[in-house]
Amino acid sequence: MSRTVGDGVFWIRKPAKRPEEHITKCNKCATRRRKTQTSLAGAPFATQTDVRECGGCRIRRLTTIVAADLAAYSRLMALDEEGVIARLSRIWSDVVEPPVKDAGGRIVKTMGDGLLVEFPSVVDAANCAVAIQTAMSEREGEIPEDARIRYRIGINLGDVITDGDDILGDGVNIAARLEGL
């Protein structure tokens, strides 16, 4: 393209065509979604969607899921409700939270006598579970057998769907089923 200004002719180079981007936001969570159209050496435009597309607030990803549940919770509560609640509170802060935090885990939710935790690494999840079980056996060793608090723990590496801070899907269900074995 050329442009004439006064006595001279100036050549203006057109910038190379950049891919067109269309950015939208999810109506539920305002996660940004990006679609890019590109052309490869004269080929027709191909559309690429950003991998982090939320899909309506739900992102599928691979993670390590740990499901833990208190064995014989109902029986223990029937024996000494207030005592069990007080012991669980101390166990939670002294035995469960520190190894989860040290291993880089995130407590997704607690469910009365159980909890759901996710880890970026299977090895870290397994080491955390062993640390919790070891600490529990040391802590509860002096208590009579029928009054001991014991956690059953299941670990699964699987696909989950995130829904806000929660995780759902077969990966969670499998971890919960393994915990019961």
Side-chain angles (χ1 to χ4, degrees), residues 8-121:
V9 176
F10 295 91
W11 292 91
I12 301 172
R13 183 171 175 237
K14 283 177 88 176
K17 185 169 180 167
R18 292 191 169 176
E20 294 180 36
E21 278 196 352
H22 303 284
I23 297 176
T24 59
K25 288 186 178 181
C26 171
N27 292 333
K28 293 181 181 178
C29 69
T31 299
R32 294 178 64 121
R33 296 186 284 173
R34 182 182 72 218
K35 277 191 174 178
T36 307
Q37 293 184 337
T38 57
S39 175
L40 302 172
F45 283 109
T47 302
Q48 297 173 339
T49 304
D50 191 347
V51 176
R52 294 291 301 180
E53 181 174 332
C54 74
C57 290
R58 294 191 169 106
I59 300 171
R60 183 176 293 277
R61 61 189 168 82
L62 185 68
T63 192
T64 305
I65 306 111
V66 174
D69 186 48
L70 191 66
Y73 181 70
S74 298
R75 184 182 55 76
L76 291 171
M77 291 296 278
L79 290 174
D80 180 17
E81 185 176 28
E82 289 183 21
V84 169
I85 290 172
R87 283 172 50 207
L88 277 176
S89 178
R90 288 190 305 272
I91 287 169
W92 180 260
S93 61
D94 297 343
V95 176
V96 176
E97 284 182 340
V100 168
K101 185 179 176 184
D102 292 344
R106 178 180 76 91
I107 297 172
V108 176
K109 62 182 163 187
T110 59
M111 295 129 342
D113 66 332
L115 67 146
L116 187 65
V117 185
E118 74 169 326
F119 290 88
S121 162

Side-chain angles (χ1 to χ4, degrees), residues 67 153-156 169-181:
I153 300 176
I155 302 171
N156 181 45
D170 278 344
V172 175
N173 294 339
I174 293 168
R177 287 189 179 113
L178 288 172
E179 161 264 306
L181 295 179

